[in-house]
Amino acid sequence: MNLTTNSLTCQWDPGPDTHLPTNFTLKSFKSRGDCQTQEDSILDCVPENGQSYCSIPRKHLLLYQNMVIWVQAENALGTRQSTQLCLDPMDVVKLEPPTLWTLDPSSQASPPHPGCLWLGWEPWKPSVFMNQECELRHQPQRGGASWVQVAPLPSSAYQYELCGFPPATVYTLQMRCIRSPLPGHWSSWSPSLELRTTEQAPVIRLDTWWRQRQLDSRTVGIQLFWKPTPLEEGSGQIQGYLLSWRPPGGLGPAVPLCNTTELSCTFNLPTGAQEVTLMAYNTAGTSHPTPVVFLENEGPPLTGLHVRAPDAHSLWVGWKPPSPRPQGYVIEWGLGPPSPSNSSKTWRMEHNGSATGTLLQENIRPFQLYEITVAPLYKGTVGPSQHTYAYSKEMGPPRAPELLLKHIGKTWAQLEWVPRPPELGKSPFTHYTIFWTNSQDQSFSTILNASSHGFVLHDLEPASLYHVHLMATSQAGATNSTGLTLMTLTPGELELYIFLGLFGFLALLLCLCGTTWFCCSHSRKNPLWPSIPDPAHSSLGSWMPSIMAEETFQLPSLQDPGIPPITNITVLEEKKLGSWEYRDNSETCGLPTLVQTYVLQRDPTVASAQPQPQSGTSDQVLYGQVLGSPTSPGPGQHYIRCDSTQPLLGGLTPSPKSYENLWFQASPLETSVPLPPSQEDDCVFGPLLDFPLLQGLRVHGMEGLGTF
């Protein structure tokens, strides 16, 4: 029930989607008692399309009387009704939320307490005549904390004070109300109100550090640094710092030196001034004064100062405590050279005198050089400071050495580079890697140690283009040099001629070797042409036996003892003019005319006075065949010769075998022609020495030859 519009609003859950057009209708009727009887019907309420609520106007309602309400749904498949509600419209009244505002604590008689909130509210005006009960909740603006609800507040008082909060903290507050003690619904939460808790004077400790220098004989320049440390969790926020100096002896008021929100101040004091006063303040008051005494640099210094970098954003500073033990240490750090000397520095104080180190995490950036200063603090004095330099993290050099081409050939290229000198804060190179790529996008690489400053690329293609670059690697990373493009040399004409000449010489040498092997190898020569000896051009023409055995034999037809015996076999020669001298016809003893021209008789004991023809130049035929048999009846001598100077490859007279004597054999192709007895008896044979083929001839089967 909304009292602003005086209407009763009902809402429902339409249930699962039926995928059919469905009409909802809010139905109701008036009733008495326990809603069992119906008295007056109330006009149906039809919601707009897509809405799941509907409002019944005040004119159809009867306040403080029960009524029955339900919802009916209808589509093409049928009708369904919800369960019925029996209620009194005034029992479901929902009030509008109240309005909140801020109260000024200064208007109160007593001063506000630190960490408190003051607020007031006003209920919804139409519900002023109703008894109400309200709830308050708050939440800190920062930190993401959840809402905290406060017990019901009385409606008779329209202001309230909340305490127990941290000072100077912003909170968000909301309120809602309900009819009490009658039934009803809680109103919605009111719009948010932001309040800040009251301030508290700072409760802090101020750690200080300074630098001073003598400007002249009467003035000292001092730069003072401080750092606040809260002593309580609820310490008030600091709005500023006040630095003052009181003249010696307390004469005169304090002289303000600085009023600043910074953590440092530079001022001048008279020579001999030893103390100033520092305070923090806010709207609630000031902190306790902190005296700053400018101590002398006396006492033993610390030793063994060292620094290491655990990561890129921190530095660990360590030292060896001096003796006697100091009360604390002051650590100061800032960017080292080449940063300006007046650049801002960070410092902190270590109050544990037995500490041997501290971790610095404030204002540390990677790859930067820092100057760290540590000074021991003694009672009433400060020891000499010690300083060192360190990098938060080493970085690699910005670029690799420049790659240069020193020499180049047809298949090689010599590269060199100048290693960079080591730099402070730069990680040294651990190794180099050379990459080169040819025109076919084939990549090659090799790794060299850090001491290398050159390399030779081998097995390159002549007249080819290559892209080369150098990558230098350190513990901090890797960096590349600028690329280098080179082209190998083209082979010259002289080298080409030399190459072709060597190739031709090798080819000719191979051909000669092959020809020699082919000709000298009998297994290769004989299949092409047979090796047949040529007696006319052999050594047989001049060969003489060591012992010439003469045999005396007689022909069967020569029985006349007055005729001298035949001691040798006649050599047949072709009569050529100027070659041989022939004897008189009377010496031929009447041989047949065909035979007489070929017969020459010589005395075997007389050396031939005729010149012997050379085997290589004579046209004589120094070979022949003697046919016939002395034992055959009739004439048995038949002479056959050949006019050719070439070896006899075939014909009627093949070469005799080693065991054959063709003197007593007939020709296989024709029979012997007997000679007339008169001619046979008168035949005289010449010496055997004139026929080389028949020298040393031995006649076998002489049984029938008599003295032949």
Side-chain angles (χ1 to χ4, degrees), residues 403-647:
L403 194 62
L404 302 175
L405 177 63
K406 188 174 183 181
H407 299 291
I408 191 169
K410 291 182 263 318
T411 60
W412 59 273
Q414 184 177 2
L415 307 175
E416 68 175 4
W417 59 90
V418 179
R420 294 185 174 276
E423 301 180 34
L424 189 63
K426 303 295 189 298
S427 179
F429 292 135
T430 57
H431 62 274
Y432 297 101
T433 306
I434 295 181
F435 299 89
W436 67 94
T437 306
N438 57 16
S439 56
Q440 289 79 27
D441 289 335
Q442 294 177 338
S443 298
F444 309 91
S445 64
T446 184
I447 298 177
L448 307 174
N449 54 36
S451 61
S452 302
H453 55 81
F455 185 72
V456 179
L457 304 179
H458 293 285
D459 300 329
L460 304 180
E461 296 292 335
S464 298
L465 193 67
Y466 288 87
H467 299 280
V468 188
H469 75 273
L470 178 70
M471 182 178 72
T473 305
S474 65
Q475 294 182 352
T479 180
N480 292 332
S481 68
T482 56
L484 177 65
T485 302
L486 56 90
M487 176 173 283
T488 53
L489 301 181
T490 305
E493 294 183 358
L494 179 60
E495 290 82 354
L496 182 61
Y497 293 154
I498 294 175
F499 175 77
L500 293 178
L502 291 176
F503 180 78
F505 175 76
L506 292 177
L508 180 60
L509 184 61
L510 289 176
C511 292
L512 292 177
C513 294
T515 303
T516 304
W517 173 79
F518 189 81
C519 293
C520 294
S521 177
H522 295 284
S523 60
R524 295 283 184 253
K525 182 176 66 175
N526 289 336
L528 297 180
W529 57 83
S531 180
I532 301 174
D534 185 0
H537 298 84
S538 66
S539 61
L540 292 177
S542 60
W543 176 78
M544 295 291 292
S546 60
I547 301 176
M548 294 297 295
E550 295 184 358
E551 297 182 4
T552 302
F553 59 91
Q554 295 180 353
L555 294 175
S557 60
L558 301 177
Q559 302 295 330
D560 189 359
I563 303 176
I566 304 301
T567 60
N568 55 4
I569 299 176
T570 304
V571 177
L572 299 183
E573 296 181 2
E574 180 182 2
K575 181 179 181 181
K576 288 189 178 182
L577 186 62
S579 300
W580 290 90
E581 295 294 336
Y582 295 95
R583 297 181 183 273
D584 187 64
N585 290 338
S586 62
E587 297 178 2
T588 60
C589 303
L591 291 175
T593 304
L594 178 63
V595 179
Q596 291 178 2
T597 58
Y598 297 93
V599 175
L600 175 64
Q601 182 178 359
R602 292 185 182 180
D603 189 354
T605 61
V606 180
S608 177
Q610 303 296 330
Q612 298 296 329
Q614 299 299 324
S615 60
T617 59
S618 176
D619 293 334
Q620 301 173 9
V621 177
L622 301 181
Y623 58 88
Q625 189 175 32
V626 179
L627 302 178
S629 175
T631 60
S632 60
Q637 286 80 18
H638 191 184
Y639 306 96
I640 300 176
R641 63 174 295 278
C642 180
D643 293 335
S644 174
T645 61
Q646 298 298 323

Side-chain angles (χ1 to χ4, degrees), residues 12 14 20-25 45-54 74:
W12 59 87
L20 292 175
T22 303
N23 298 324
F24 294 91
T25 305
C45 181
V46 179
E48 297 181 2
N49 292 333
Q51 294 182 352
S52 298
Y53 61 91
C54 193
E74 181 179 2

Side-chain angles (χ1 to χ4, degrees), residues 72-235:
Q72 176 179 294
E74 181 179 2
N75 60 16
L77 299 180
T79 302
R80 294 293 300 271
Q81 292 182 352
S82 67
T83 56
Q84 295 182 350
L85 293 180
C86 179
L87 54 87
D88 182 354
M90 292 304 296
D91 291 341
V92 292
V93 170
K94 182 178 180 180
L95 302 178
E96 293 295 330
T99 303
L100 299 179
W101 67 81
T102 302
L103 293 178
D104 184 8
S106 60
S107 60
Q108 303 297 324
S110 60
H113 299 284
C116 293
L117 296 174
W118 288 82
L119 75 154
W121 74 89
E122 180 181 5
W124 180 51
K125 291 183 178 180
S127 62
V128 173
F129 62 93
M130 298 181 183
N131 293 329
Q132 300 180 23
E133 185 178 291
C134 298
E135 288 182 349
L136 180 68
R137 66 177 185 179
H138 56 82
Q139 179 187 37
Q141 192 175 29
R142 297 180 181 180
S146 58
W147 290 95
V148 177
Q149 190 167 324
V150 182
L153 304 179
S155 59
S156 57
Y158 296 135
Q159 58 185 12
Y160 195 73
E161 179 184 10
L162 294 174
C163 293
F165 298 104
T169 305
V170 179
Y171 282 85
T172 302
L173 296 92
Q174 290 180 341
M175 181 179 286
R176 65 178 182 177
C177 298
I178 189 175
R179 286 203 316 166
S180 179
L182 299 176
H185 292 286
W186 283 99
S187 67
S188 300
W189 288 103
S190 66
S192 299
L193 174 66
E194 293 183 358
L195 294 179
R196 181 186 179 90
T197 56
T198 54
E199 290 284 356
Q200 181 181 2
V203 182
I204 58 174
R205 184 188 71 234
L206 292 173
D207 296 328
T208 58
W209 178 246
W210 66 90
R211 299 193 192 102
Q212 62 181 3
R213 60 191 179 93
Q214 191 74 34
L215 299 179
D216 52 43
S217 59
R218 302 173 57 183
T219 308
V220 177
I222 299 176
Q223 186 177 12
L224 181 65
F225 306 93
W226 59 86
K227 185 174 294 184
T229 302
L231 298 179
E232 296 180 3
E233 183 179 358
S235 176

Side-chain angles (χ1 to χ4, degrees), residues 569-570 626-630 661-665 685 694 697 699 708:
I569 299 176
T570 304
V626 179
L627 302 178
S629 175
N661 195 330
L662 299 183
W663 181 275
F664 305 101
Q665 297 181 9
F685 295 90
L694 297 180
L697 179 64
V699 180
F708 182 81

Side-chain angles (χ1 to χ4, degrees), residues 231-423:
L231 298 179
E232 296 180 3
E233 183 179 358
S235 176
Q237 290 186 346
I238 299 175
Q239 296 180 351
Y241 298 93
L242 182 60
L243 182 65
S244 60
W245 170 71
R246 186 177 295 275
L251 301 176
V255 178
L257 299 176
C258 293
N259 187 0
T260 179
T261 58
E262 303 295 332
L263 297 178
S264 64
C265 179
T266 302
F267 52 91
N268 297 331
L269 288 178
T271 302
Q274 296 289 331
E275 183 178 345
V276 293
T277 302
L278 180 64
M279 294 184 298
Y281 64 90
N282 58 15
T283 56
T286 61
S287 64
H288 293 289
T290 301
V292 180
V293 180
F294 304 113
L295 305 176
E296 299 292 338
N297 290 332
E298 297 178 358
L302 53 83
T303 59
L305 183 62
H306 60 278
V307 182
R308 62 180 177 87
D311 53 57
H313 298 277
S314 64
L315 290 173
W316 172 263
V317 182
W319 58 82
K320 292 181 180 180
S323 180
R325 287 288 179 89
Q327 295 181 344
Y329 302 92
V330 175
I331 304 98
E332 184 181 31
W333 66 95
L335 292 176
S339 299
S341 58
N342 58 355
S343 59
S344 61
K345 292 189 176 183
T346 307
W347 65 278
R348 59 177 294 185
M349 186 172 290
E350 176 62 50
H351 294 277
N352 184 7
S354 61
T356 58
T358 183
L359 183 64
L360 308 180
Q361 294 178 302
E362 186 179 358
N363 296 332
I364 301 295
R365 293 179 295 173
F367 312 115
Q368 298 294 328
L369 178 64
Y370 287 90
E371 180 182 6
I372 300 99
T373 303
V374 181
L377 298 177
Y378 299 98
K379 184 176 182 180
T381 185
V382 177
S385 61
Q386 303 291 327
H387 71 276
T388 185
Y389 295 92
Y391 276 90
S392 55
K393 184 178 181 181
E394 289 185 333
M395 65 172 62
R399 59 186 178 274
E402 184 179 0
L403 194 62
L404 302 175
L405 177 63
K406 188 174 183 181
H407 299 291
I408 191 169
K410 291 182 263 318
T411 60
W412 59 273
Q414 184 177 2
L415 307 175
E416 68 175 4
W417 59 90
V418 179
R420 294 185 174 276
E423 301 180 34

